[in-house]
Amino acid sequence: MRFNEDLEHVRSSVLAMGGFVEEQFDRAVKALTESNSELGLKVKEDDIKVNRMEVAIDEECSRILATRAPTAGDLRLIIAIIKTITDLERIGDEAEKIGVLAARLAGVERPSTNYREVRNLARHVKLMVHRCLDAFARLDSQAALEVVKMDDIVDEEYESIYRQGSTFMMEDPRLISRVMDTTWMARALERIGDHAKNISEYVIFMVHGKDLRYMSVDSIEAEVRKGVRREEAGAKVLP
């Protein structure tokens, strides 16, 4: 019974960390849209809280591994949690970068588009982060799969921003500094999308026991479908 309580406490801690990382992300984007340099720098200051959360959860997982000797599904859960908090910490790092860049851009004349392309990219990435955490909370492999699929859209939007920025810099060298900061911000958003995708793959690993790293989206989808069919077949034979 105590072991189950330990696992549930760790899972709750991961979700709390994820919730705070989401807040960091939201504030960083808000700092850009509102030209709020103070808010952007606050995101940088608060990144230490994310780091502390990661260390605390990692230590708790190490204690469970050393004292409880978990097997099968419980062991997969702990491994996935250790990987998940690493990606959450890196999302926090990328949010910190966005906050710093937003603080710098607050003192620069805004483009006529008001950073529309970056804001659109941020909306997609925010949805990925929220949905991957929801999939983690519910251990929902199919919801996790949908997040994995969303990553292609984020990659395409980032590439579009990168190409557009290159064009702007060639047309008007005076824009180089602003465009470079905007492009780095878009890159940070794209990386956050990658981390959300990673977390979603860990959810599928927890549920189905399949390591999906370096597999194509089609292959991941096929593995999830096979896992769901196996679960449904197992449920049918239960008394």
Side-chain angles (χ1 to χ4, degrees):
M1 181 65 71
R2 177 60 188 276
F3 179 53
N4 291 336
E5 290 176 359
D6 286 346
L7 288 179
E8 187 55 38
H9 178 264
V10 172
R11 284 189 66 223
S12 296
S13 297
V14 174
L15 291 173
M17 181 181 178
F20 185 71
V21 166
E22 274 195 281
E23 287 180 24
Q24 285 281 87
F25 177 84
D26 289 343
R27 287 188 294 169
V29 174
K30 186 177 181 181
L32 173 70
T33 58
E34 298 183 358
S35 292
N36 189 332
S37 61
E38 185 177 341
L39 182 60
L41 294 176
K42 185 69 167 60
V43 174
K44 175 179 173 59
E45 292 173 9
D46 285 349
D47 184 61
I48 192 171
K49 296 180 183 179
V50 178
N51 298 338
R52 287 172 179 166
M53 288 178 174
E54 181 196 16
V55 170
I57 296 170
D58 189 56
E59 289 177 348
E60 182 67 9
C61 287
S62 297
R63 184 189 66 79
I64 292 173
L65 287 171
T67 61
R68 301 292 183 181
T71 58
D74 291 335
L75 182 58
R76 287 206 307 269
L77 173 62
I78 294 171
I79 292 171
I81 284 174
I82 292 171
K83 291 176 177 291
T84 294
I85 60 174
T86 298
D87 276 280
L88 285 175
E89 190 275 332
R90 288 173 181 168
I91 290 175
D93 286 345
E94 298 298 337
E96 178 188 4
K97 290 178 189 175
I98 294 170
V100 171
L101 290 166
R104 194 153 68 203
L105 287 168
V108 176
E109 182 182 355
R110 301 174 72 80
S112 59
T113 61
N114 195 24
Y115 302 111
R116 181 178 58 247
E117 296 81 4
V118 175
R119 287 186 286 114
N120 288 340
L121 176 58
R123 276 196 291 271
H124 279 111
V125 173
K126 178 182 178 179
L127 190 59
M128 286 184 72
V129 173
H130 183 77
R131 287 185 175 177
C132 81
L133 291 171
D134 184 60
F136 179 93
R138 296 185 292 112
L139 293 179
D140 187 337
S141 62
Q142 296 189 74
L145 174 62
E146 293 307 311
V147 177
V148 172
K149 291 180 178 179
M150 290 174 67
D151 190 53
D152 285 342
I153 297 173
V154 169
D155 290 344
E156 289 172 5
E157 290 193 4
Y158 166 68
E159 289 297 330
S160 176
I161 292 172
Y162 180 83
R163 289 194 300 270
Q164 187 180 67
S166 298
T167 301
F168 287 158
M169 287 188 290
M170 286 189 290
E171 291 178 348
D172 189 348
R174 293 172 300 177
L175 299 178
I176 288 176
S177 179
R178 187 184 74 193
V179 171
M180 286 293 292
D181 282 347
T182 304
T183 302
W184 279 115
M185 186 175 291
R187 175 59 176 166
L189 288 167
E190 190 269 339
R191 291 296 299 139
I192 291 175
D194 287 343
H195 293 306
K197 177 185 176 184
N198 290 346
I199 293 170
S200 298
E201 291 177 352
Y202 306 148
V203 171
I204 297 171
F205 169 71
M206 280 190 285
V207 176
H208 302 299
K210 284 285 186 180
D211 188 344
L212 306 175
R213 288 175 295 179
Y214 315 119
M215 292 176 63
S216 67
V217 174
D218 289 342
S219 297
I220 293 173
E221 184 169 13
E223 289 294 339
V224 170
R225 286 178 176 172
K226 282 194 291 186
V228 170
R229 285 197 296 269
R230 282 195 298 268
E231 289 174 1
E232 289 175 345
K236 290 176 182 177
V237 300
L238 290 177

